Amino acid sequence: MLNKIPFLFEKTFFRTKDLLFQAKSSFSSLENFIIKRRSVYNLLFMLVLCLIFPFILFLNIKTPLIGDDFVYSFIYQTQSRLTSINDIFQSQYLHYYKWGGRSVVHFITQMLLLTDNSLVIDIINSLGFIAFILTIHYHIIGKLKNSINILIISFSLTWFLQPVFAETVLWITGSSNYLWGTLIILLFLLPYRLYKNKQSALLKDITFSLIMLTGGVIAGWTNENTAAAMIIMITCFILYYKYSNNKIPIWMYAGLIGAIIGYIIMIAAPGNFARAEGTSISPFLVTYRVLNYTQRFVNYLGLLNLGITLLMLIYSKVNCNNRKATLSYICIYFIGVFISIYIMVASPGFPARAWFGTITFNIIAFGILYNKIDRFTPLVKQAKYCFLIFCVISFMASFYDAYKDVKAINNIWEERMLIIAEKKNDKATSVVFKEYQARTKFGLGDTPYALPYMSLYYGIDFQLEK
């Protein structure tokens, strides 16, 4: 009987191997059929987007107003609640002169808060995230073509690599600054990424130049480090196309000029100088920040860039078309990564949420290379399928932790709203709650600095205790 065990094991092994081979063949045949039927494939692509949407919407719905959301619910540094778009313009005027120049993204913040319908705000913010993932996907593909594989990778890497997901995607003020700000920048960069050296009519070229000039002002007026990286990336795109003997259309220069104008308007805000008063910078401090930011770069993106290194080794071993173009695009996005990091040496702080655009550019660089090694060998193709399955399973496990955290936080705030209503009915002048903090990067804890505006917002003295 013992002599038969090796034979039975070998028989089982080969039978399993045959079944896996048959399953792989069936899957490949199904995949080829779907890809050939583009309408079916595009429908499945939309289905994946529709599956992602409810997950993000749920997290948005369960995330309460927090911190600066209460501050920006008022005309800036006043006690007057926002009631109209005119109030927002007045608020941004005051903000520009008293605090900083990110007028575009804070205008988005206050437009969302002006809506005063939490479900509408959550739907809009969730749609913004879907648009963001979709735009990353098109940057990676380099054409307006759908890829389910790249869409899932774009979403998964954003989900796992963004270090403070709630602060940059779910928090209204944070999402306006980082999610929406980076979305505007990616949309503005997309024509540069998709350019194919095609001639266009003069009228069309002039019209698009005006659009890009205006869009450049808006994109340059969004976020200090990401917009600075965008300007350098545009310059790199133009230089690459120029030295590749492509015609440089006028809209590329118009977009660059607009971006510089917008960036200058943002940086020149009197509020920036008012906040910077009394701060100084020294060679020692610069050195410390460079080393510190390099360490954080490794912590946040080390594994992803290790993956890029491995993919680059594979890519170097095969013959393929447009190798120069692929490597050039990857270099442009990496230039964006490093500019967005080290320009912050001049800033007094570099919070984790400000890495949002940096990490996005790095994801795109990885995705471009990942996309290019799609069908070199059966082994690489199978490895990519395994990676895709791993991403989906890991997301589901991770979402469970996110679900528990945001659900617990939402329960806390629902209980607080009931207590506030009772206190106000009893003519109480103050209410005290125990301070809480989130357990995961998908939740948001209490923000004591916003207590004065929380008190104004709820009409009762809002206090927190440790």
Side-chain angles (χ1 to χ4, degrees), residues 2 15 63 91-92 107 114 122 131 138 144 176 183 190 201 208 226 232 287 303 322 331 355 378 409 412 428 456:
L2 291 175
R15 182 178 295 173
T63 300
S91 180
Q92 287 310 305
F107 185 87
L114 180 64
D122 294 331
Y138 287 129
L144 295 177
S176 300
L183 172 60
L190 202 55
F208 194 56
T226 315
I232 302 301
T287 304
L303 282 176
N322 300 322
C331 285
W355 285 75
I409 291 170
I412 289 171
L456 283 171

Side-chain angles (χ1 to χ4, degrees), residues 141-184:
I141 299 294
K143 59 180 75 171
L144 295 177
K145 181 181 178 182
N146 297 331
S147 169
I148 295 173
N149 188 353
I150 296 302
L151 181 67
I152 294 174
I153 294 302
S154 301
F155 168 71
S156 299
L157 292 179
T158 300
W159 176 267
F160 288 112
L161 293 179
Q162 293 296 346
V164 282
F165 192 89
E167 289 186 27
T168 51
V169 175
L170 307 176
W171 177 33
I172 294 174
T173 304
S175 69
S176 300
N177 274 264
Y178 301 103
L179 171 64
W180 287 90
T182 306
L183 172 60
I184 290 169

Side-chain angles (χ1 to χ4, degrees), residues 80-148:
S80 301
R81 281 287 296 270
L82 295 174
T83 58
S84 67
I85 294 178
N86 285 336
D87 287 346
I88 296 177
F89 280 110
Q90 181 185 348
S91 180
Q92 287 310 305
Y93 176 83
L94 293 171
H95 189 272
Y96 188 80
Y97 279 90
K98 293 184 177 183
W99 185 257
R102 293 186 192 174
S103 305
V104 170
V105 293
H106 286 119
F107 185 87
I108 295 172
T109 299
Q110 296 199 296
M111 280 295 293
L112 289 172
L113 292 169
L114 180 64
T115 305
D116 204 28
N117 183 317
S118 59
L119 182 58
V120 171
I121 294 171
D122 294 331
I123 290 172
I124 292 172
N125 209 41
S126 300
L127 289 172
F129 180 79
I130 294 298
F132 172 74
I133 294 300
L134 197 57
T135 309
I136 290 178
H137 156 274
Y138 287 129
H139 270 272
I140 291 171
I141 299 294
K143 59 180 75 171
L144 295 177
K145 181 181 178 182
N146 297 331
S147 169
I148 295 173

